[in-house]
Amino acid sequence: MSSNTVRTRFAPSPTGFMHVGNLRTALYAYLISKSQGGKFILRIEDTDQNRYVEGAVDVIYRTMKSAGLIHDEGPDVGGEYGPYVQSERKNMYKPYAEELVRKGAAYYCFCDKTEHESGEEASEENPADHLCPCRDLDPAEAQARVDAGMPYAIRQKIDRTGTSTYNDCVFGEITIENKVLDDQILLKRDGMPTYNFANVIDDHTMNITHVVRGSEYLPSTPKYNLLYAAFGWQPPEYVHLPMIMGRNEDGSIAKLSKRHGSVSFESLVAEGYLPEAIVNYIALLGWSPKNDREIFAFDELVAMFKTSGLNKSAAVFDYDKLKWMNTEYIKALPPEEFAERAKSFAGVAGTPVEPHWPMLAGLLQPRTEILSEIAGKIAFLQALPEYDKALFNNKKSKCDPEKARAILQDLRPLYAELNDWNSEAITQLVTDYAMQKEMKLGLPMWALRIAVSGTAVTPGGPGEIMTVLGKAESLNRIDKALAEL
């Protein structure tokens, strides 16, 4: 590479949502460059138009921004190596492919089957058993067919003798027998490059120094290096990442998929995981810091990240661990920020509950693991749920339906006469009642909680609940409870 500046890229295909595996690749590419004062580039790889999904590019932009992965160059911000969308670079690939043909490192293929091939990795166990017949065409005859207008693709021509060796930053020295490498398609019949070929050309012309990608590319990397060698270019440093696995119901592990839960960044955010918690967790899926810390601010990740900390073994996505980490992040939020970020999940906008949201948010923050839980935690404020009078039974407070009925009969007229309707006054009234009756406060508190909420677990006690409900609704719910009892 001609530049001493570390340059990494994230090159997603616009084929749908951003899988957590894609996001980890982007994150590690970002951390590698920024930890060394380098540049991080976003490139959209849309050579496979059959898989293009409308709106997927916007998903990429939103995800990158939300995750804090701000690119220095890209389709939306420009840069000296643009354009940064492969379909817009179409005209530059053919000359490179033809150069390889002239050098004997590629050949024209006229087989009909190439119309339907995508150019991705071949599935044959032994590609040498399925060599393209065009491989041995006389160059003059092949050129004559091209000049005559016959449709063609261009394939890489691989010498299958010997082995190819390269070094990976994570897995060390890798040696592959050349005989297992297939003559991959470089340029398709429509003139579009394949993913594999465009990567090499773009990475070189964009001066990329480090290529970060999944370990599934370990066996095919020699094909890329053979292209670099044919052009006389220096290959980049490779950083292959282990797979991210999911845990099945029976305890076994398999490649992470939707059956394990949400696997896209946006779906996790929609469930109520904080973006910064997701990024922190994903950073640890394959990377181990020298200390035992697990919670890192984003700038701390940048400062501490080193490729030497990357692991070879597959990482297992643990939703319980992510939930724990999300809980820690929620607890650490300033109260005002939590209230703002959680409000859209609460479903209180435009309801009588909304004016009391700041108080409710303060009660919910230490009790929330993911933001999507909030609506369910406070649903009883919108409508009293159906409940059985057996809910009044509580061993700890020694409450039962009979005691609850007597307590509520005593408290109902007292609350009817209470003019200063606020949490402190409501709580003080029941406190005074417990002292007068020489009973532990937990007993009348439990009876009152069930009556006004219809649920055993609530954020805050009767004082806060009845403040939000207001006097009329609180008395109405007590009356319903007495009728049931």
Side-chain angles (χ1 to χ4, degrees), residues 423-455:
S423 179
E424 292 76 13
I426 293 167
T427 302
Q428 188 61 54
L429 188 153
V430 70
T431 301
D432 293 343
Y433 171 81
M435 291 180 63
Q436 180 185 353
K437 295 292 185 178
E438 297 182 344
M439 63 176 64
K440 291 186 177 180
L441 181 59
L443 176 54
M445 278 289 203
W446 183 263
L448 199 54
R449 178 198 298 273
I450 301 304
V452 297
S453 72
T455 183

Side-chain angles (χ1 to χ4, degrees), residues 13 36 90 95 129 136 143 146 155 170 183 190 196-197 205 207 258 266 271 307 332-333 390 392 399 412 422 455:
S13 298
Q36 301 179 67
K90 176 181 176 180
D129 295 336
D136 296 322
Q143 187 61 53
V146 172
R155 286 182 177 269
V170 179
D183 286 358
D190 61 3
N196 295 322
F197 184 54
T205 56
N207 221 15
K258 290 183 178 179
E266 286 199 328
E271 284 186 19
T307 56
L333 287 175
F392 285 100
C399 187
R412 203 300 183 179
N422 58 61
T455 183

Side-chain angles (χ1 to χ4, degrees), residues 116-258:
H116 309 292
E117 293 190 28
S118 66
E120 304 303 327
E121 303 305 322
S123 60
E124 297 94 342
E125 292 183 5
N126 189 357
D129 295 336
H130 305 276
L131 293 179
C132 176
C134 302
R135 175 185 170 97
D136 296 322
L137 273 178
D138 181 85
E141 180 182 348
Q143 187 61 53
R145 293 186 183 185
V146 172
D147 294 341
M150 287 188 65
Y152 65 87
I154 295 180
R155 286 182 177 269
Q156 184 176 5
K157 190 173 186 178
I158 295 177
D159 181 358
R160 287 180 169 74
T161 61
T163 60
S164 292
T165 300
Y166 69 97
N167 186 73
D168 179 73
C169 291
V170 179
F171 290 87
E173 187 175 280
I174 304 293
T175 298
I176 302 291
E177 290 186 278
N178 291 341
K179 67 181 182 181
V180 304
L181 304 176
D182 68 296
D183 286 358
Q184 64 179 346
I185 295 176
L186 305 179
L187 201 72
K188 293 180 281 190
R189 284 192 168 199
D190 61 3
M192 287 293 286
T194 59
Y195 171 86
N196 295 322
F197 184 54
N199 260 280
V200 170
I201 304 304
D202 290 341
D203 286 343
H204 175 76
T205 56
M206 291 183 179
N207 221 15
I208 300 302
T209 62
H210 295 68
V211 169
V212 184
R213 61 188 178 209
S215 59
E216 64 269 22
Y217 286 97
L218 281 168
S220 60
T221 295
K223 291 192 292 188
Y224 300 114
N225 284 347
L226 288 171
L227 291 174
Y228 280 103
F231 284 120
W233 299 338
Q234 179 183 342
E237 292 190 42
Y238 294 107
V239 184
H240 286 94
L241 307 176
M243 293 182 69
I244 299 179
M245 312 296 283
R247 194 174 301 280
N248 299 323
E249 291 184 1
D250 62 2
S252 62
I253 62 172
K255 187 175 181 180
L256 186 66
S257 66
K258 290 183 178 179

Side-chain angles (χ1 to χ4, degrees), residues 385-393 401 450 454 484-485:
E386 295 287 338
Y387 65 95
D388 192 285
K389 63 182 180 182
L391 196 58
F392 285 100
N393 288 305
I450 301 304
E484 176 67 22
L485 291 168

Side-chain angles (χ1 to χ4, degrees), residues 78-98:
E80 60 180 309
Y81 298 98
Y84 294 89
V85 178
Q86 282 187 338
S87 60
E88 298 175 11
R89 299 166 65 87
K90 176 181 176 180
N91 293 334
M92 70 179 292
Y93 301 111
K94 185 176 181 180
Y96 284 110
E98 291 176 333

